[in-house]
Amino acid sequence: MFKHYGNGIVKGMALTLKHLFRQPITTQYPEERLTVSRRIRGNVLAWSQDNCIGCYTCARNCPHGCIEIETSEKGEKGLIPAPCTQDCPSHVDAARYIRCLAQGKPDEALAVIREKIPFPSVCGYICAHPCESSCNRGLIDEPIAIRMLKRFAVDNNTGIWKQRSKTAPASGKQVAIIGAGPAGLTAAYYLAKLCGHAVTVFEALPQPGGMMRFGIPEYRLPDKILSDNISEIENAGVKIKTDTRIDRPESLLEEGFSAVFIAIGAHQAIELGIEGEDNPKILGSIDFLREVKLGKKVGLGNRVAVIGGGNSAMDSARTALRLGVKEVTIIYRRTRAEMPASPEEIEDSLDEGIKILFLAAPTRVTSHNNELKLECVRMKLGKEDASGRRRPEPIEGSEFVVELDNIISAISQRPRLPDPFGLATGRGNTIQVDPDTLATAKEGIFAGGDAVLGPATVILAIAAGRQAAISIDKYLGGSGIIDETLALPEEIIDREGGPREGWRPETSAIPHQQRLNSFNGVELGWDKDSALSETERCLRCDLVYGVEKYQLNGGACIYCGLCVEACPFDALFMGYSYERATYRLSEQILSKEELLTPDRRKPSGYARPEVEKTLPKQTLLIDRDL
Amino acid sequence: MPELIPQEALWPGNFWLHLLVFTVIIITFILLTVMFFIWFERRLLGRIQVRLGPNRAGPFGLLQPLADVIKVLTKEDIVPARGDKPVFWLAPIVAFVPVLMMFAVIPFQDGALLVDLNIGILYIVAVSSMASIGIFMAGWSSNNKYSLIGAMRDVAQLVSYEIPLALSILGVVLIAGSLSLTEIVEAQTVPFILLQPLGFLIFFIGSLAEMNRTPFDLVEADSEIVAGYNIEYSGMKWATFFLMEYAEALTISAIITTLFLGGWRGPLLPPFLWFIIKVVTVFSVIVWVRATIPRLRIDQVMAFTWKFLLPLALINLLITSLQVVFWPEAPVWLIVFAGLFIMIALILIWSKFFKLGGDRIDV
C-alpha cells in the first residue's frame, strides 16, 4: 500500500518541484490583441446606425429571432441606388417601379421602365434578370420576382407614358443600323425619338426582331408581344427595311448616312468539332430555331439529341418536343450545377419529359442506314477553370454509343461577319470596338450587341443599343442625352413593420398536355393580388428608413454571424470573438496542439516551421526547455 | 478582562490602546496577506504548471487581487428565493470571525500579540472548529442539495480530523510543558518539527483537511457538487468565504510556524520577519501539495483519518508521554533520530494495515 501511494506522492511532489524551475511557456496567438480581456467584455456585435437603412434583412436572417427592429413608417430617398438598379445593364429602376405597383399604379410602373428600355414587354417575358440575382431579398429567402412584376406592369397598362413622351425635332442627319435585333432597334429608337435623327434599320431576315424573334421560341415570347414593342419603335419614326442584306457598311456611308451601327448579332452556330460532323442531319440550334420560326418544315426523326447546356439548348430541345419528336435528350459535359441555362428553364425542360445526360461529351458521329451513331465519353469534374466552373475531364474507357435520328448542336454561337466588312475581330469572331464608345476602327462605323459581346442576353443588347445611341449622337454633334422623364415625381408610400415575410407567389403555367403540341405561351402572368403581395416583400434598398429601435437579445444570440453576413449595407459587424472564429475557419494553422512542439529538443515552439513563417511578428516564441 | 494580560505586556500603554492597535494590525495584516497569498498561490501554481500565472495587472500581476476585489465588490448579490435568508446572510460572518479570532493569540514576535493566553493552543483548537458552523449554515440556508452535501462533508471531515489534530498538538504541549503559544515558542531551542516529526506530519495533514484544501477539498469538489457550500453565494458574501479560506490558510501556516518551526525565532533577521518568512514557506508547501496531489474520495478521506492518522497520533502521543515522563533529559540528537525512525517505521507498518472497504474496494 505504501509502495503504491508513497512512491506516487513522492514522485509527484518531486515532479511538481522540478516544474517550478522550468521556463514557463507562453504562446501568444497572432490574432489575440494586446489589450486585456477584449474577447470577454468587448462589444460582440456592433451596429452602425449610419449605415443601417432599416431593411430588416438581419432580423429575418437570425435563426433565433434575437434582433428586434422598429423603423419609422416614412422612408427617404437614399444616396445609393438599389442593387437591382445597379446591376441591371440598362439601369432600369426596378425598386421604384415595384413601389409604383405597390401603390396600384401599373401605368406609372411602365413609365418608369420605359424611361430606360424600349422593350418592356420582351423583358417582362424573357429577361435573364440580373436584377433578381443581386436582389438583397435573396439573402433572406428568395429574391423579388422582378421580371414577373415587370410583366404584370406591361400586361396591365393603359399607355399613359405615351402622352408624356416627346419627340425631338429633326436634326437632318441620317443613321443606318444593320440588324433589327434588340441592340439595333434600341439604338434606332433612341436616335430617332430623342435625338431627332432619321434612322433606317436594315434587316436581312423577312421580319424584324433578330434573336428575340428567331432565337427565342414562340412559347416563351409570343410574336404579338414582340410586334407590339417593335411597332412602338416604328411609331417613333424608325424605318425598318427587311429582306435587305448589307455587305459593306461603307456603302451606306456613301449613300448619305452619317453613321452606321452594326448590330448583326451572333447567328452562326459553333461547330461541335468532332469527327463526322458534316452530316446534314446535324443541325445548329440557332438555324433550327430560325427555320421553325420562319415556318419552314424541319424534318426531325423520333430520337433527337441536343448537345449543350445553355438556354438555346433548352429552347431547341423544347421546340423539338413541340414539333412531335418522341424522345429528346440533352447531352451536357458537366453537371446540373454548372449548366449556364437558367434554373427555371432546366426545371421546365425536365418537366416536359426531356432527358438530360450529364457528364457526357460526344466524340464521334457515324452514319448508318439512315441512323446516326453518336459516340460519347463519360466525363468527371476536375479543377476549376478561369470561369470558376469545374473543368470536365474524360474518363478513359467509358465510351458509349447513342443511336439517334438527328443531332442539334447548341454549343454556342458567333457573329457571322461577311468578309467585306473588313473589321478587326477578336475571340469568337466578335467585332473589336472601343468599349466606351463602341466605335470601330473605321470612321463613323459603330458596332454593339452580340456581334461584339458574343452570345449574351437581351438586356445586355439593349444596354449596348443605349450606349451606341449615346455615342452616335455625340458623334453626330448631339448632346448624347437619351434619358427622358416619363413617370411623375415619386411619392414615397409609408411602410409599417417592415417588408412582408414569406416567399414569392407561385407562378402558374399552362397545363402539360397543352404544351407538347403547340407553341402557346407556357408561363402565365400574375393577377393583381399576387403582384401586390410580391411588391410588399421588397426591402426598398434605395430608401432609408429611420431606425427607432434596434435591439439584440444577447441572451438568445449565439453569435453565429448570419446577420452580419446577410447585412447588405455593412451596418453590422462582429467584434473580437467573431473575427477569431472566422480566422479559425480560414487558417487551420492555429491549432494549439500543432503549435507546441512534440520534440522537446527542438528550440522552436512550433511543430511546423513552414507555419511559423506565416505568423505575424508579435507572436512570442518562448522555448520550452532552456 | 484587563487582569488577563500582565501590565508590562500592554505595549502602547493601557488596555484599550493595546486592543485597538492590535486589532487594526491583525485585520490589516490578514487582509493584506490574504491578497498577497491569492496572488502568490496563483503565480506559484502557474510556475509549477509551466505557465506564468497572472501577469497583466500591475508589475508581475501584483494588482490582480485588487482587480478581483473590485470585481467581486461590484457583482450582483443574489439570495436564493427559497433560502433561509437570515442564516444565509449570517453564514459568511460566522465563518470568518473565528478565523480572525484565532489570530488573537498568535505571537508575531516576543510579546507582540493581542493577548498571551495561558491556554492559547486550546483556545485555537476550540475556535478553529467554529468556522465549520458558518460553512454548515451556508450549506443549509442555500436550499441547494449540492451546498448541503458540501457542508455536511465539511462537518464530517472536521469531526474526524479534529481528533488526530488535537492529539498531535498534545505532543508539542507535553514537550513544551505549556499551553501558551509564547511559551511554546520560547521552549523551542530546537524546532519541534525535529522532535515531533510524526506529530508535525499529522498536524499538517489534519490542518489541510480542516481548511478544506486539496487533496481534502471535497467540500467544494467542483466535479461532483459544483462548488459545494458556497454555490449560491455571489459578490461580497462569496468573497467573505474566499477570504475566510485564505485567512484560515494563513492562520494554519502561522500556527504550524509557532508550534513546530520555532515561531519568530531565528538568527540575524528581525523576529517578525522570521515569522513571516516561515509562514510564507509553510504556505508554499501547502500550494505545492495542492499542485501535486489530486482530490481524494470521501471514503478514502474518512478511512485515512480513522484508520491511519488516529492510531498513529495515539501512538505518537504515547511515545512522547513516555519520553517526557521517564527520560526528560534525553539528548536532543537521540530524540531527533528516534523520532524519525519511529515515524518511518510506523508509517510503513501502518500502511500495511490500511485498507479500504474491508479490502473489497480496489484502490
Side-chain angles (χ1 to χ4, degrees), chain B residues 12 44 51 59-60 63 79 111 116 128 137 153 163 178 194 234 236 258 280-281 296 330 356 358 362:
Chain B
L44 193 61
R51 57 187 175 84
F60 308 109
L63 297 180
V79 181
D116 186 10
S128 66
M137 281 165 74
R153 280 180 178 186
I163 300 165
S178 168
L194 295 175
S234 66
M236 197 55 217
T258 312
V280 172
T281 311
L296 296 179
L356 283 177
D362 186 19

PDB file of all heavy atoms in Angstrom, chain B residues 12 44 51 59-60 63 79 111 116 128 137 153 163 178 194 234 236 258 280-281 296 330 356 358 362:
ATOM      1  N   PRO B  12       1.381  49.632  23.825  1.00  0.00           N
ATOM      2  CA  PRO B  12       1.339  51.081  23.608  1.00  0.00           C
ATOM      3  C   PRO B  12       0.964  51.846  24.856  1.00  0.00           C
ATOM      4  O   PRO B  12       1.115  53.054  24.899  1.00  0.00           O
ATOM      5  CB  PRO B  12       0.270  51.259  22.532  1.00  0.00           C
ATOM      6  CG  PRO B  12      -0.043  49.882  22.051  1.00  0.00           C
ATOM      7  CD  PRO B  12       0.245  48.977  23.179  1.00  0.00           C
ATOM      8  N   LEU B  44       2.586  30.830  -8.086  1.00  0.00           N
ATOM      9  CA  LEU B  44       3.339  29.617  -7.789  1.00  0.00           C
ATOM     10  C   LEU B  44       2.732  28.426  -8.526  1.00  0.00           C
ATOM     11  O   LEU B  44       3.439  27.637  -9.153  1.00  0.00           O
ATOM     12  CB  LEU B  44       3.327  29.391  -6.279  1.00  0.00           C
ATOM     13  CG  LEU B  44       4.305  28.351  -5.756  1.00  0.00           C
ATOM     14  CD1 LEU B  44       5.721  28.774  -6.087  1.00  0.00           C
ATOM     15  CD2 LEU B  44       4.155  28.199  -4.253  1.00  0.00           C
ATOM     16  N   ARG B  51       3.532  27.625 -16.564  1.00  0.00           N
ATOM     17  CA  ARG B  51       2.985  28.815 -17.210  1.00  0.00           C
ATOM     18  C   ARG B  51       3.262  30.002 -16.308  1.00  0.00           C
ATOM     19  O   ARG B  51       3.859  29.830 -15.244  1.00  0.00           O
ATOM     20  CB  ARG B  51       1.485  28.632 -17.487  1.00  0.00           C
ATOM     21  CG  ARG B  51       0.697  28.321 -16.274  1.00  0.00           C
ATOM     22  CD  ARG B  51      -0.747  27.971 -16.595  1.00  0.00           C
ATOM     23  NE  ARG B  51      -1.402  27.567 -15.362  1.00  0.00           N
ATOM     24  CZ  ARG B  51      -1.925  28.402 -14.495  1.00  0.00           C
ATOM     25  NH1 ARG B  51      -1.904  29.700 -14.728  1.00  0.00           N
ATOM     26  NH2 ARG B  51      -2.481  27.963 -13.395  1.00  0.00           N
ATOM     27  N   PRO B  59       2.841  45.285 -12.008  1.00  0.00           N
ATOM     28  CA  PRO B  59       4.075  44.530 -12.205  1.00  0.00           C
ATOM     29  C   PRO B  59       3.928  43.109 -11.694  1.00  0.00           C
ATOM     30  O   PRO B  59       3.425  42.901 -10.581  1.00  0.00           O
ATOM     31  CB  PRO B  59       5.110  45.324 -11.392  1.00  0.00           C
ATOM     32  CG  PRO B  59       4.323  46.144 -10.446  1.00  0.00           C
ATOM     33  CD  PRO B  59       3.001  46.408 -11.079  1.00  0.00           C
ATOM     34  N   PHE B  60       4.312  42.147 -12.500  1.00  0.00           N
ATOM     35  CA  PHE B  60       4.174  40.714 -12.177  1.00  0.00           C
ATOM     36  C   PHE B  60       2.730  40.338 -11.844  1.00  0.00           C
ATOM     37  O   PHE B  60       2.506  39.386 -11.114  1.00  0.00           O
ATOM     38  CB  PHE B  60       5.069  40.319 -11.000  1.00  0.00           C
ATOM     39  CG  PHE B  60       6.493  40.725 -11.186  1.00  0.00           C
ATOM     40  CD1 PHE B  60       7.047  41.744 -10.437  1.00  0.00           C
ATOM     41  CD2 PHE B  60       7.269  40.098 -12.140  1.00  0.00           C
ATOM     42  CE1 PHE B  60       8.364  42.118 -10.629  1.00  0.00           C
ATOM     43  CE2 PHE B  60       8.592  40.470 -12.334  1.00  0.00           C
ATOM     44  CZ  PHE B  60       9.145  41.486 -11.577  1.00  0.00           C
ATOM     45  N   LEU B  63      -1.291  43.463  -9.022  1.00  0.00           N
ATOM     46  CA  LEU B  63      -2.568  44.129  -8.757  1.00  0.00           C
ATOM     47  C   LEU B  63      -3.763  43.235  -9.077  1.00  0.00           C
ATOM     48  O   LEU B  63      -4.903  43.650  -8.944  1.00  0.00           O
ATOM     49  CB  LEU B  63      -2.656  45.421  -9.569  1.00  0.00           C
ATOM     50  CG  LEU B  63      -1.600  46.462  -9.217  1.00  0.00           C
ATOM     51  CD1 LEU B  63      -1.760  47.690 -10.062  1.00  0.00           C
ATOM     52  CD2 LEU B  63      -1.692  46.831  -7.748  1.00  0.00           C
ATOM     53  N   VAL B  79     -29.563  36.235  -3.485  1.00  0.00           N
ATOM     54  CA  VAL B  79     -30.001  35.415  -2.353  1.00  0.00           C
ATOM     55  C   VAL B  79     -31.042  34.448  -2.896  1.00  0.00           C
ATOM     56  O   VAL B  79     -31.980  34.874  -3.560  1.00  0.00           O
ATOM     57  CB  VAL B  79     -30.615  36.291  -1.241  1.00  0.00           C
ATOM     58  CG1 VAL B  79     -31.045  35.426  -0.072  1.00  0.00           C
ATOM     59  CG2 VAL B  79     -29.627  37.337  -0.779  1.00  0.00           C
ATOM     60  N   GLY B 111       6.055  38.849  22.679  1.00  0.00           N
ATOM     61  CA  GLY B 111       5.196  39.858  23.286  1.00  0.00           C
ATOM     62  C   GLY B 111       4.331  40.611  22.305  1.00  0.00           C
ATOM     63  O   GLY B 111       3.411  41.313  22.707  1.00  0.00           O
ATOM     64  N   ASP B 116      -1.760  37.133  25.417  1.00  0.00           N
ATOM     65  CA  ASP B 116      -0.962  35.929  25.610  1.00  0.00           C
ATOM     66  C   ASP B 116      -1.709  35.002  26.554  1.00  0.00           C
ATOM     67  O   ASP B 116      -1.448  34.941  27.755  1.00  0.00           O
ATOM     68  CB  ASP B 116       0.420  36.297  26.176  1.00  0.00           C
ATOM     69  CG  ASP B 116       1.318  35.085  26.245  1.00  0.00           C
ATOM     70  OD1 ASP B 116       0.931  34.042  25.674  1.00  0.00           O
ATOM     71  OD2 ASP B 116       2.382  35.194  26.867  1.00  0.00           O
ATOM     72  N   SER B 128     -11.059  27.327  16.120  1.00  0.00           N
ATOM     73  CA  SER B 128     -10.920  26.990  14.695  1.00  0.00           C
ATOM     74  C   SER B 128     -12.056  26.100  14.230  1.00  0.00           C
ATOM     75  O   SER B 128     -12.441  26.152  13.052  1.00  0.00           O
ATOM     76  CB  SER B 128      -9.574  26.309  14.449  1.00  0.00           C
ATOM     77  OG  SER B 128      -9.568  25.058  15.108  1.00  0.00           O
ATOM     78  N   MET B 137     -23.997  26.540   8.090  1.00  0.00           N
ATOM     79  CA  MET B 137     -25.109  27.487   7.934  1.00  0.00           C
ATOM     80  C   MET B 137     -25.294  27.861   6.467  1.00  0.00           C
ATOM     81  O   MET B 137     -26.416  27.903   5.940  1.00  0.00           O
ATOM     82  CB  MET B 137     -24.834  28.757   8.747  1.00  0.00           C
ATOM     83  CG  MET B 137     -25.108  28.612  10.231  1.00  0.00           C
ATOM     84  SD  MET B 137     -24.360  29.946  11.154  1.00  0.00           S
ATOM     85  CE  MET B 137     -25.464  31.274  10.737  1.00  0.00           C
ATOM     86  N   ARG B 153     -20.211  17.354   4.266  1.00  0.00           N
ATOM     87  CA  ARG B 153     -18.873  16.793   4.129  1.00  0.00           C
ATOM     88  C   ARG B 153     -17.893  17.550   5.003  1.00  0.00           C
ATOM     89  O   ARG B 153     -17.006  16.961   5.629  1.00  0.00           O
ATOM     90  CB  ARG B 153     -18.414  16.897   2.677  1.00  0.00           C
ATOM     91  CG  ARG B 153     -18.978  15.828   1.803  1.00  0.00           C
ATOM     92  CD  ARG B 153     -18.460  16.036   0.405  1.00  0.00           C
ATOM     93  NE  ARG B 153     -18.933  14.992  -0.476  1.00  0.00           N
ATOM     94  CZ  ARG B 153     -18.542  14.867  -1.725  1.00  0.00           C
ATOM     95  NH1 ARG B 153     -17.691  15.734  -2.231  1.00  0.00           N
ATOM     96  NH2 ARG B 153     -18.985  13.893  -2.474  1.00  0.00           N
ATOM     97  N   ILE B 163      -9.605  15.166  15.789  1.00  0.00           N
ATOM     98  CA  ILE B 163      -9.056  14.306  16.835  1.00  0.00           C
ATOM     99  C   ILE B 163      -7.553  14.084  16.647  1.00  0.00           C
ATOM    100  O   ILE B 163      -6.772  14.405  17.539  1.00  0.00           O
ATOM    101  CB  ILE B 163      -9.843  12.975  16.901  1.00  0.00           C
ATOM    102  CG1 ILE B 163     -11.310  13.285  17.205  1.00  0.00           C
ATOM    103  CG2 ILE B 163      -9.257  12.060  17.942  1.00  0.00           C
ATOM    104  CD1 ILE B 163     -12.224  12.129  16.936  1.00  0.00           C
ATOM    105  N   SER B 178       3.583  23.681  28.295  1.00  0.00           N
ATOM    106  CA  SER B 178       2.696  24.836  28.442  1.00  0.00           C
ATOM    107  C   SER B 178       1.693  24.853  27.294  1.00  0.00           C
ATOM    108  O   SER B 178       1.948  24.314  26.209  1.00  0.00           O
ATOM    109  CB  SER B 178       3.505  26.135  28.441  1.00  0.00           C
ATOM    110  OG  SER B 178       2.628  27.217  28.308  1.00  0.00           O
ATOM    111  N   LEU B 194      11.608  18.779  14.493  1.00  0.00           N
ATOM    112  CA  LEU B 194      12.640  17.745  14.588  1.00  0.00           C
ATOM    113  C   LEU B 194      12.338  16.770  15.711  1.00  0.00           C
ATOM    114  O   LEU B 194      12.594  15.574  15.588  1.00  0.00           O
ATOM    115  CB  LEU B 194      14.005  18.395  14.819  1.00  0.00           C
ATOM    116  CG  LEU B 194      14.498  19.265  13.661  1.00  0.00           C
ATOM    117  CD1 LEU B 194      15.799  19.961  14.030  1.00  0.00           C
ATOM    118  CD2 LEU B 194      14.682  18.423  12.420  1.00  0.00           C
ATOM    119  N   SER B 234     -22.656  34.861  -4.051  1.00  0.00           N
ATOM    120  CA  SER B 234     -22.009  35.667  -5.065  1.00  0.00           C
ATOM    121  C   SER B 234     -21.595  36.976  -4.423  1.00  0.00           C
ATOM    122  O   SER B 234     -21.942  37.264  -3.273  1.00  0.00           O
ATOM    123  CB  SER B 234     -22.957  35.920  -6.230  1.00  0.00           C
ATOM    124  OG  SER B 234     -24.013  36.722  -5.784  1.00  0.00           O
ATOM    125  N   MET B 236     -19.976  39.991  -2.524  1.00  0.00           N
ATOM    126  CA  MET B 236     -19.156  40.169  -1.326  1.00  0.00           C
ATOM    127  C   MET B 236     -19.288  38.996  -0.367  1.00  0.00           C
ATOM    128  O   MET B 236     -18.346  38.644   0.343  1.00  0.00           O
ATOM    129  CB  MET B 236     -19.577  41.475  -0.644  1.00  0.00           C
ATOM    130  CG  MET B 236     -18.560  41.973   0.345  1.00  0.00           C
ATOM    131  SD  MET B 236     -16.938  42.140  -0.422  1.00  0.00           S
ATOM    132  CE  MET B 236     -15.904  41.616   0.915  1.00  0.00           C
ATOM    133  N   THR B 258       4.392  28.491  14.604  1.00  0.00           N
ATOM    134  CA  THR B 258       4.542  28.676  16.048  1.00  0.00           C
ATOM    135  C   THR B 258       4.815  27.353  16.761  1.00  0.00           C
ATOM    136  O   THR B 258       5.692  27.270  17.620  1.00  0.00           O
ATOM    137  CB  THR B 258       3.254  29.302  16.610  1.00  0.00           C
ATOM    138  OG1 THR B 258       2.907  30.404  15.786  1.00  0.00           O
ATOM    139  CG2 THR B 258       3.447  29.767  18.034  1.00  0.00           C
ATOM    140  N   VAL B 280       5.179  32.097   5.054  1.00  0.00           N
ATOM    141  CA  VAL B 280       5.110  32.001   3.594  1.00  0.00           C
ATOM    142  C   VAL B 280       5.662  30.655   3.126  1.00  0.00           C
ATOM    143  O   VAL B 280       5.127  30.029   2.202  1.00  0.00           O
ATOM    144  CB  VAL B 280       5.857  33.177   2.944  1.00  0.00           C
ATOM    145  CG1 VAL B 280       5.969  32.982   1.441  1.00  0.00           C
ATOM    146  CG2 VAL B 280       5.152  34.476   3.246  1.00  0.00           C
ATOM    147  N   THR B 281       6.706  30.182   3.807  1.00  0.00           N
ATOM    148  CA  THR B 281       7.261  28.881   3.430  1.00  0.00           C
ATOM    149  C   THR B 281       6.228  27.771   3.633  1.00  0.00           C
ATOM    150  O   THR B 281       6.023  26.919   2.758  1.00  0.00           O
ATOM    151  CB  THR B 281       8.513  28.584   4.278  1.00  0.00           C
ATOM    152  OG1 THR B 281       9.360  29.724   4.231  1.00  0.00           O
ATOM    153  CG2 THR B 281       9.246  27.372   3.749  1.00  0.00           C
ATOM    154  N   LEU B 296      -9.139  13.453  -3.032  1.00  0.00           N
ATOM    155  CA  LEU B 296      -9.469  12.091  -2.590  1.00  0.00           C
ATOM    156  C   LEU B 296     -10.970  11.872  -2.643  1.00  0.00           C
ATOM    157  O   LEU B 296     -11.747  12.818  -2.727  1.00  0.00           O
ATOM    158  CB  LEU B 296      -8.979  11.872  -1.159  1.00  0.00           C
ATOM    159  CG  LEU B 296      -7.468  11.943  -0.942  1.00  0.00           C
ATOM    160  CD1 LEU B 296      -7.161  11.741   0.522  1.00  0.00           C
ATOM    161  CD2 LEU B 296      -6.763  10.894  -1.765  1.00  0.00           C
ATOM    162  N   ALA B 330      16.765  13.256  27.995  1.00  0.00           N
ATOM    163  CA  ALA B 330      17.336  12.551  26.830  1.00  0.00           C
ATOM    164  C   ALA B 330      18.023  13.539  25.908  1.00  0.00           C
ATOM    165  O   ALA B 330      17.534  14.655  25.712  1.00  0.00           O
ATOM    166  CB  ALA B 330      16.245  11.814  26.076  1.00  0.00           C
ATOM    167  N   LEU B 356      -9.222  -0.240   2.474  1.00  0.00           N
ATOM    168  CA  LEU B 356     -10.490   0.466   2.246  1.00  0.00           C
ATOM    169  C   LEU B 356     -11.595  -0.553   2.034  1.00  0.00           C
ATOM    170  O   LEU B 356     -11.400  -1.536   1.321  1.00  0.00           O
ATOM    171  CB  LEU B 356     -10.394   1.351   1.006  1.00  0.00           C
ATOM    172  CG  LEU B 356      -9.632   2.668   1.163  1.00  0.00           C
ATOM    173  CD1 LEU B 356      -9.586   3.368  -0.169  1.00  0.00           C
ATOM    174  CD2 LEU B 356     -10.286   3.546   2.198  1.00  0.00           C
ATOM    175  N   GLY B 358     -12.841  -2.932   3.820  1.00  0.00           N
ATOM    176  CA  GLY B 358     -12.542  -4.317   4.165  1.00  0.00           C
ATOM    177  C   GLY B 358     -11.800  -5.019   3.045  1.00  0.00           C
ATOM    178  O   GLY B 358     -12.033  -6.183   2.772  1.00  0.00           O
ATOM    179  N   ASP B 362     -10.935  -1.930  -4.489  1.00  0.00           N
ATOM    180  CA  ASP B 362      -9.598  -1.881  -5.059  1.00  0.00           C
ATOM    181  C   ASP B 362      -9.228  -0.431  -5.348  1.00  0.00           C
ATOM    182  O   ASP B 362      -9.907   0.255  -6.105  1.00  0.00           O
ATOM    183  CB  ASP B 362      -9.594  -2.706  -6.353  1.00  0.00           C
ATOM    184  CG  ASP B 362      -8.201  -2.810  -6.899  1.00  0.00           C
ATOM    185  OD1 ASP B 362      -7.250  -2.587  -6.118  1.00  0.00           O
ATOM    186  OD2 ASP B 362      -8.063  -3.132  -8.073  1.00  0.00           O
TER     187      ASP B 362
END
